[in-house]
Amino acid sequence: MYEQPEICSAAGACRRWPLTLVLLACLLSALTACKKSEDAGAPSADFLAVMNVGKSQYEKGDATAAAKTFEQAVSTLPTSIDARLNLANALLAAGQPEAVLTHTAQVLSMDPRSAAAHYLAGCAQLRQGNFAEAVKSLQQAKDIDRTVNEVSFQLGVAYEGMRNYDDAIAQWRETIEFGPEHPAVYYRLSQAMIRKGDTDEAQTLLEKHREVTAGRNIPSDPSFFEQCVHTQMRVPFSLEQPAVPGITVQFADVTAAWLPAGTKHSGPVALVDLHRTGEPGLFVIEDGKQFRLLTFTNGHFEPIGNPVPADPNGGYSKVLVGDLDNDRYEDAIVLGAGRSHVLKLGADGRISDRTLLTGLAQLKAVDGELADLDFTSKLSLVAALPEGQGIRFYRSLGNATFREDTAALGLPTNAFAATQVAVADWNKDDLPDVLAVADGAVRYFANQRGGTFAATNAPAQFSGAGRLVIGDLNNDLRPDAAVLSGETVEVAYGGLTNRSTVKLGPGGVSRLTLLDFDNDGWLD
């Protein structure tokens, strides 16, 4: 799914094409400065060299020296998850569990679904004798990645420490199932069976332990039994970045040539690939009274197909484009504070108004997003309602039909003055989250595994937001936010402390779009 970029301002604006194109050009030019952030979070050659030295020290068994080296790496790049995990591993091997927990907490603040951080925290808590907390951390690690057998073993040790022998036995039996040559699990399980009174099985397990460990030198150091994929050293991937200077672009006003009838057309506007060939088409309002498709032919846009009536009092503010019925052709939802429409778009430019058949006939909205929030391969709708009514989720039932299902998804049903909704994986857990702008602040609803959402404290980067857009602006594979507040756009980089500020000046900019307009590899 993708949503076409908006080329419009607030409802009622965008009444002339030249004004729209000039405003867009000015905004794109201003935001080009954001791509040249001095701290893009990319690892430097010196940082990579330090990481490799620490890795070598750790793998040679000098955990104390490795910890000092990784401390230097963390000091150089505090937002590097790899550096902090390496440091936590070295500190664990050096017998400093309290320091391990400091750095795993930092990692989890940046990546809550780091299985390695949860695992290392659990191992550190085991060493402290804090078995209840160890169970929580290790279970989190196992929930995120169930393929690491050592996590089950350590989880069994934590349960044993709590004298919960039934759960310890269950974890150790699972360890044996997937790792029958494990050097310690048979002995641990035999001791648990003795406590359960099953001496016959305990004896069998002890014999198996002797068989598995025969001829092997098994250290008594707990680090030996903690080793797994989560304790492997990491050297960060260095993403090749586009050239910083970018490509010089000049804007020319081609409105008269490309849109000879442009004075008849108004927004909101959407780009539409009618023929699925990559050639642009436009969805517009014509003469303020009908929806119309324009196709690019012979060097200019001209009408195609049939128009359908629009409501003069619709208060239209946004057009969402996507395949609503999985027939490989695009459809459109026109959102308006007075009325909304669901339109079927044909390859020949024909438009069919299907609103009455979709379950959205009563929908009034000032903003919205199409997204597959519940992983059903269908595009559902999240909408911001007018007059302070809050947000709503309309679940797609297929065939371009919808059902309001806000409460079931865990989103709020109470009234609040939402002016924008955005869908983005803000916390990098591979799940789409929902953000709503309201009263200069952002309400953040994190997607929970299982298909529901939970209200979460909004990041400080979103304070003062009148409008926001989210994307990777510095090519470090983390989401960033551009926040529009009055005549200023402030860019906050995910995981970093620096920001970029762009002064727009007067001009009534009310929406933001991310677009690599000069094809240089950076989002503008």
Side-chain angles (χ1 to χ4, degrees), residues 510-522:
S510 58
R511 297 181 191 264
L512 300 175
T513 294
L514 296 180
L515 175 69
D516 181 9
F517 73 95
D518 52 1
N519 291 324
D520 66 350
W522 299 93

Side-chain angles (χ1 to χ4, degrees), residues 132-153:
E133 291 302 311
V135 165
K136 294 178 185 177
S137 296
L138 293 167
Q139 188 62 59
Q140 285 267 42
K142 187 169 183 177
D143 289 343
I144 295 168
D145 185 353
R146 304 188 69 85
T147 65
V148 185
N149 209 29
E150 289 78 3
V151 178
S152 298
F153 175 75

